[in-house]
Amino acid sequence: EDEEVVAEILGRRFFPDVIAYKAWEGFHFAGHEIRITEATDCYGAVVWPSALVLCYFLETNSKQCNLVDKNVIEIGAGTGLVSIVASLLGAFVTATDLPELLGNLQHNILQNTKQKCRHQPCVKELSWGIDLEKNFPRSSCHFDYIMAADVVYHHPFLDELLLTFDHLCKDDTVILWAMKFRLENENRFVDRFQTLFDLEMMSNFPSLNIALYKAMRKGRMKA
């Protein structure tokens, strides 16, 4: 079953027949052809398999996870694929990442969502743990979903990442988080994450070493 679903997920990717002056990859999600421009010199501007896993879940579970008119924020949006798919499925999306990635992120989102979406997504800078209350005040920012794909890897900002999840998450916010396990850092972060949030594994793909989780604040999952 794992191999069949993984083949279906990875089969959503396609490549241009002719090499263009700018490298891009194509994807089929939410009834649309999505073209993503990448930058191979930057980890944040490449589509990783965890993003495909999350996009596939959003598309194939659209009744269970109805995004129409929902307020969604993606942290570490990178190339914007997850934000684009969420937008095509009817959500109002805020795609966030570091300032140096926003140009390519904005390009991809505009190219793939203009006049195709119920709500035009917006792009906003978010450096984990920095100026959170200033840029995303708790009193006025309410997100139904926080989405993240492959944000936990070998980097020194895991404390700031956890702080960001904590700041953005209200009692009824649902976190959808796809993660590839590479190093012990990932396991340690999951343990720390569970001190604040209840965690449920929605899908597991051993052949990709990727798990998809749903999380909510402690005590809110059953409620």
Side-chain angles (χ1 to χ4, degrees):
E1 184 180 355
D2 171 54
E3 292 179 356
E4 289 179 7
V5 178
V6 167
E8 165 67 14
I9 292 172
L10 298 182
R12 299 300 186 93
R13 170 185 271 151
F14 68 92
F15 299 93
D17 295 326
V18 179
I19 297 176
Y21 75 97
K22 206 175 239 187
W24 62 270
E25 287 184 66
F27 303 88
H28 292 290
F29 284 110
H32 288 79
E33 179 182 292
I34 301 168
R35 294 191 178 192
I36 296 292
T37 301
E38 298 183 317
T40 55
D41 60 342
C42 179
Y43 285 121
V46 176
V47 178
W48 299 102
S50 293
L52 274 66
V53 167
L54 182 47
C55 289
Y56 181 81
F57 174 83
L58 295 177
E59 181 187 78
T60 57
N61 293 272
S62 57
K63 291 185 178 179
Q64 173 190 355
C65 179
N66 184 359
L67 296 183
V68 176
D69 296 333
K70 296 297 192 298
N71 201 11
V72 172
I73 186 168
E74 184 186 4
I75 62 174
T79 61
L81 180 61
V82 172
S83 289
I84 291 164
V85 172
S87 297
L88 293 171
L89 291 171
F92 181 85
V93 177
T94 303
T96 71
D97 216 312
L98 296 169
E100 60 266 28
L101 297 173
L102 297 188
N104 189 59
L105 176 59
Q106 179 72 67
H107 167 78
N108 283 329
I109 284 181
L110 189 61
Q111 175 177 267
N112 290 286
T113 62
K114 190 175 182 181
Q115 297 181 333
K116 297 178 183 177
C117 295
R118 188 180 180 93
H119 309 287
Q120 186 60 37
C122 67
V123 172
K124 194 168 180 179
E125 177 185 340
L126 173 53
S127 299
W128 298 338
I130 298 175
D131 292 333
L132 293 175
E133 182 58 30
K134 176 184 174 183
N135 296 323
F136 299 91
R138 289 179 187 270
S139 60
S140 58
C141 287
H142 184 285
F143 297 106
D144 299 296
Y145 289 92
I146 299 170
M147 297 188 184
D150 232 359
V151 293
V152 181
Y153 45 90
H154 187 62
H155 61 68
F157 304 110
L158 295 181
D159 290 342
E160 291 83 356
L161 175 59
L162 187 59
L163 182 65
T164 301
F165 273 124
D166 184 41
H167 180 84
L168 296 174
C169 190
K170 294 288 199 295
D171 283 348
D172 58 348
T173 301
V174 174
I175 298 171
L176 294 175
W177 169 28
M179 181 170 73
K180 183 178 179 69
F181 287 83
R182 302 179 181 87
L183 302 166
E184 187 57 30
N185 268 15
E186 281 87 347
N187 294 315
R188 286 199 297 267
F189 183 82
V190 170
D191 291 340
R192 293 183 56 208
F193 185 86
Q194 290 184 96
T195 64
L196 298 176
F197 304 98
D198 289 323
L199 198 61
E200 176 186 349
M201 184 182 290
M202 306 295 287
S203 305
N204 186 31
F205 303 101
S207 61
L208 295 175
N209 211 20
I210 291 173
L212 174 64
Y213 295 104
K214 172 185 175 182
M216 294 186 75
R217 282 207 175 276
K218 282 283 187 185
R220 299 297 302 179
M221 192 84 83
K222 292 180 182 178

